[in-house]
Amino acid sequence: MGDAERRLLANALLDISNERFILLSELCIPLYNFSFVYNYIMISKYSFMNVFDDPRPYGRGRYRNKMAPLVNITEWRKGSQWFEVNRKIATIIVEDTRYYPIFDKYCRQPCVVDEHYFPTMLSIEAGNELANRSLTWVYWSRDGPHPGTFGKSDITEEFIDRVRNQDRCEYNDKNYTVCFLFARKFAPSALKPLLDMDSKVLGF
């Protein structure tokens, strides 16, 4: 996954007109129209990468002592693999030859490269340029590695409004009410009710 994501960024960087890079899955949906999403991202002073120190088995428990001294356990971070980064951060990821070989060699199950490499490396190299949050909303309905999935019966106007308005965050160093631009995970059965939803709800 780490190799694949780095290659995606490398190819996207070849187009000099690309300024922002978003990683989403096929199970993600947009919560706002394109213009809103574009302006939100382009005006941001920061890149959006979720980074935190997790003392549990799913966090520090995945660290390998052989990564030291290049990466110490105090620097070990976890985060969502769904990110949005600007051109500078994307370039740092693609050009990295210092940290990635260590992760490639020692980050094996239960270690998950895309949940640890990007947050750890970027928190060390460019921590002050990260918003330290993801733009993709996920419902962690239970303890474990997988978030909840939504299907046909879940798709209502009230559900979309709840996802949009359930959180508060910082945006360009100010308190803000729009924290997520995308949401996941949505099963194939959710597609039709989403397409049938009144365009006024999502704005497109």
Side-chain angles (χ1 to χ4, degrees):
M1 288 297 293
D3 283 336
E5 292 174 20
R6 280 159 54 91
R7 289 180 182 181
L8 282 171
L9 285 173
N11 278 276
L13 282 165
L14 294 176
D15 185 340
I16 61 173
S17 65
N18 289 334
E19 297 182 36
R20 295 277 179 161
F21 308 84
I22 305 174
L23 182 68
L24 300 171
S25 83
E26 74 281 7
L27 301 179
C28 291
I29 66 166
L31 295 172
Y32 299 91
N33 63 37
F34 178 82
S35 296
F36 185 92
V37 171
Y38 180 86
N39 290 330
Y40 189 105
I41 292 171
M42 293 302 292
I43 295 172
S44 174
K45 298 190 297 185
Y46 301 100
S47 290
F48 295 89
M49 175 75 68
N50 188 223
V51 178
F52 60 97
D53 181 10
D54 185 353
R56 301 175 302 169
Y58 293 118
R60 287 197 176 197
R62 294 173 174 173
Y63 176 77
R64 295 294 174 266
N65 290 328
K66 290 182 179 180
M67 292 183 171
L70 183 61
V71 177
N72 294 304
I73 194 168
T74 55
E75 300 170 308
W76 185 253
R77 297 294 181 265
K78 185 183 178 184
S80 168
Q81 66 268 52
W82 313 112
F83 59 74
E84 183 283 324
V85 296
N86 61 25
R87 194 170 186 88
K88 178 181 177 181
I89 297 299
T91 302
I92 291 174
I93 292 172
V94 170
E95 290 183 343
D96 173 43
T97 57
R98 178 175 172 82
Y99 299 94
Y100 192 69
I102 296 295
F103 278 84
D104 188 46
K105 185 175 182 179
Y106 296 116
C107 187
R108 296 286 184 266
Q109 288 292 337
C111 180
V112 182
V113 170
D114 55 342
E115 291 183 7
H116 293 283
Y117 165 64
F118 298 104
T120 299
M121 187 271 287
L122 289 175
S123 70
I124 295 171
E125 294 295 315
N128 62 346
E129 298 188 46
L130 305 178
N132 195 19
R133 63 183 178 91
S134 173
L135 293 179
T136 301
W137 177 83
V138 179
Y139 178 55
W140 293 100
S141 58
R142 60 188 183 279
D143 289 335
H146 302 294
T149 300
F150 301 97
K152 179 180 179 180
S153 62
D154 298 302
I155 308 305
T156 64
E157 182 175 341
E158 291 74 22
F159 171 77
I160 297 298
D161 285 340
R162 190 165 64 250
V163 172
R164 283 173 162 177
N165 300 313
Q166 69 167 327
D167 210 350
R168 297 294 179 269
C169 57
E170 284 195 358
Y171 176 68
N172 285 340
D173 301 319
K174 295 181 180 179
N175 292 329
Y176 206 59
T177 57
V178 177
C179 302
F180 301 106
L181 302 182
F182 310 96
R184 72 184 302 266
K185 303 166 58 172
F186 290 85
S189 64
L191 179 59
K192 189 176 188 304
L194 283 167
L195 292 174
D196 291 342
M197 188 169 285
D198 191 325
S199 61
K200 293 180 181 178
V201 177
L202 293 173
F204 54 90

